[in-house]
Amino acid sequence: MKYVVVTGGGMSGLGKGVTSSSVGVLLQACGLRVTCIKIDPYLNIDAGTMSPFEHGEVFVLQDGGEADLDLGNYERFLDVTLTSDNNITTGKINRTVMEKERRGAYLGKTVQVVPHVTDEIQDWIQRVAHAPVDVCVIELGGTVGDIESCPFVEALAELSYRVGDFCLIHVSHVPVLSAVGEQKTKPTQHSVRTLRSLGLAPNILACRSNSPLEGYAREKLARSCHVSSGSVLSLHDVGKNVWRVPILLRDQKAHEAVLRVLNLDVKEPDLKEWTARAELFDALVEPVRIALVGKYMGLTRINKDAYFSVEKALLHASVALRKNFFSQNPNAYKAAWNKLKGADGILVPGGFGDRGVEGKILAAKHARENRIPYLGICLGMQVAVIEFARSVLLDMQDANSTEFDAETKNPCVVFMPEGSRTHVGGTMRLGSRRTYFHHNDHHDVGCMAARLYGNVSYVDERHRHRYEVNPEMVARFEEAGLWFSGRDESGERMEIVELGEHPFYVGVQFHPEFKSRPGKPSPVFTGKTQILIN
């Protein structure tokens, strides 16, 4: 097994996730089988209980694991399916070590960070990075030198000696001070010095900067950090088109540098399809505006990351339909309504808690009454049901979800019976579940959702929720025109809702954005008969 480890120094937010994914794409294009591991040094077991404001989106894996959004980057870039084992946290490692200690697995020894914790980390990595994989790309989250990541750095240092074929790529910032006007290399030099002091030496430097790395900066870094100049890579900004990053790395022969360190034959990567997609993205002119009516909105990058997969799924769909996608998520009320009215479509994504829900309900009402394409995901589907009950079923003007009003007399959305009210971590309905398409018994229209998915009888999509549409009210909704075209295997849990007389008014309980890929957009984001983006 060959290992590529990506670390970061100096500051967070340098793009280690995109770098790791892009290196994986290059190695895949060279004919190698690649998997990825993300190491998150926080004490949480997983990302499931974290606020999107603080940590960004929680990405749901096929087996129900709740993980960092970088796992979504890996799946999208490499078109692979990962599991919760591909996300290592301090919480998971400590829990495993403590469970072993309680079972007496350490034979009465004093349990210590070295060797017990570091051995567990290495065992976990090697268990995930098994055949038929050729290369395992490991991203170490956080910043080198952080106290939380020290056990992982030590474990990776030990692993590098154990396995031999080990390439370390260090991502660091090369800033330009406006007063001086030249690229400064000292932050990277100090970052590498910290890394070396912890037992790891970089084979390749990936230098993040606003503009291409200058020759003098490259030579200075090569000399001071003890790497060849060909192993100093410029990872300068590529704008909105991150699909350009693998091409940027290829043009600098990054694949050759990695393959040589791993003792593999040097091959030229086949990026024809990838390059064509990146060039298509840059050439798109005709705009499409989708109003993203979310609750985790703000002006900072981390707020934007709260709906990371949703925006990527919209991007995949827009590129497939040759549209230049713009996401609108304003904060001011008046500006929000003006932009909502001018949008080509409205998307209401998932979320938890009652903050912002009434605004989502108004957005669903506006889309329904004005025949604007609407896609509701998870909470967005529940919002559509609540709005329909309030506006169309005249005796349900106080309809609500028990999540927002536990005493509501018309509970359209209820807590799932198997859910836990005392524990929040890992207790939702999570992971891949099967949805069966149902014929409309009340209206003579076909099943739009089934047509979108190619007229199959069922579809498997990923879920993350603890509330569901009240099955006792389904008959009334369907008699009034709101049709539940997708249900689980029991027929009692509603998965997809449609409004038959509307051009495109669809809600899904699952999260289709988690399985969207470049070149393989999610059907509910593109459409094949009634298209959301048109």
Side-chain angles (χ1 to χ4, degrees), residues 345-357:
I346 296 173
L347 191 156
V348 177
F352 299 92
D354 61 354
R355 183 174 52 80
V357 166

Side-chain angles (χ1 to χ4, degrees), residues 313-507:
L314 284 168
L315 173 64
H316 301 159
S318 64
V319 171
L321 297 169
R322 307 299 193 265
K323 303 285 187 179
N324 192 356
F325 160 62
F326 293 93
S327 174
Q328 302 176 332
N329 49 12
N331 293 305
Y333 182 85
K334 186 175 181 180
W337 268 115
N338 288 337
K339 289 202 170 186
L340 188 77
K341 291 175 181 177
D344 300 306
I346 296 173
L347 191 156
V348 177
F352 299 92
D354 61 354
R355 183 174 52 80
V357 166
E358 292 301 322
K360 291 173 182 280
I361 291 173
L362 289 174
K365 181 181 178 69
H366 178 75
R368 182 181 59 80
E369 292 181 343
N370 293 277
R371 299 176 66 79
I372 296 173
Y374 175 90
L375 176 60
I377 296 175
C378 196
L379 175 61
M381 168 181 159
Q382 298 171 7
V383 158
V385 172
I386 295 170
E387 189 282 320
F388 187 87
R390 291 181 180 181
S391 301
V392 179
L393 304 180
L394 299 181
D395 60 338
M396 290 193 185
Q397 294 180 3
D398 62 342
N400 214 331
S401 167
T402 57
E403 179 181 8
F404 315 133
D405 180 3
E407 305 301 324
T408 179
K409 295 179 181 178
N410 291 293
C412 297
V413 178
V414 295
F415 192 81
M416 292 189 298
E418 69 269 33
S420 171
R421 294 185 180 276
T422 58
H423 291 74
V424 294
T427 60
M428 287 184 277
R429 186 169 179 251
L430 293 164
S432 182
R433 307 287 178 135
R434 182 157 292 179
T435 296
Y436 291 88
F437 297 108
H438 280 243
H439 178 70
N440 190 343
D441 296 326
H442 297 276
H443 300 276
D444 187 23
V445 295
C447 178
M448 181 187 294
R451 294 201 305 274
L452 294 177
Y453 279 95
N455 289 316
V456 295
S457 58
Y458 63 83
V459 64
D460 295 321
E461 292 280 9
R462 301 181 190 180
H463 293 67
R464 185 175 185 252
H465 66 110
R466 55 170 53 94
Y467 288 84
E468 63 176 338
V469 174
N470 188 345
E472 296 180 0
M473 293 187 174
V474 167
R476 281 208 61 189
F477 286 126
E478 294 197 327
E479 288 171 1
L482 192 67
W483 171 33
F484 294 93
S485 59
R487 307 186 183 195
D488 74 345
E489 64 278 1
S490 71
E492 296 296 317
R493 181 158 285 156
M494 303 303 114
E495 294 280 5
I496 305 174
V497 65
E498 302 178 15
L499 193 58
E501 304 303 322
H502 195 285
F504 192 100
Y505 194 88
V506 175

Side-chain angles (χ1 to χ4, degrees), residues 39 85 98 105-106 118 133 153 169 179 267 275 349 351 394 459 477 486:
I39 296 175
D85 283 344
M98 290 299 96
Y106 300 117
T118 53
V133 173
V153 173
I169 301 174
K267 301 177 182 178
T275 302
L394 299 181
V459 64
F477 286 126

Side-chain angles (χ1 to χ4, degrees), residues 105-161:
Y106 300 117
L107 300 176
K109 293 182 179 179
T110 301
V111 180
Q112 297 175 295
V113 173
V114 180
H116 301 104
V117 171
T118 53
D119 281 352
E120 188 60 42
I121 294 168
Q122 294 174 74
D123 291 345
W124 193 304
I125 290 172
Q126 293 184 295
R127 184 173 68 251
V128 174
H130 58 73
V133 173
D134 300 313
V135 180
C136 178
V137 179
I138 304 169
E139 178 192 347
L140 175 60
T143 304
V144 168
D146 290 347
I147 191 169
E148 295 91 349
S149 62
C150 286
F152 293 101
V153 173
E154 173 62 27
L156 291 171
E158 293 177 15
L159 183 67
S160 68
Y161 287 102

Side-chain angles (χ1 to χ4, degrees), residues 5-18:
V5 173
V6 178
T7 60
M11 65 178 73
S12 61
L14 290 175
K16 296 190 299 297
V18 173

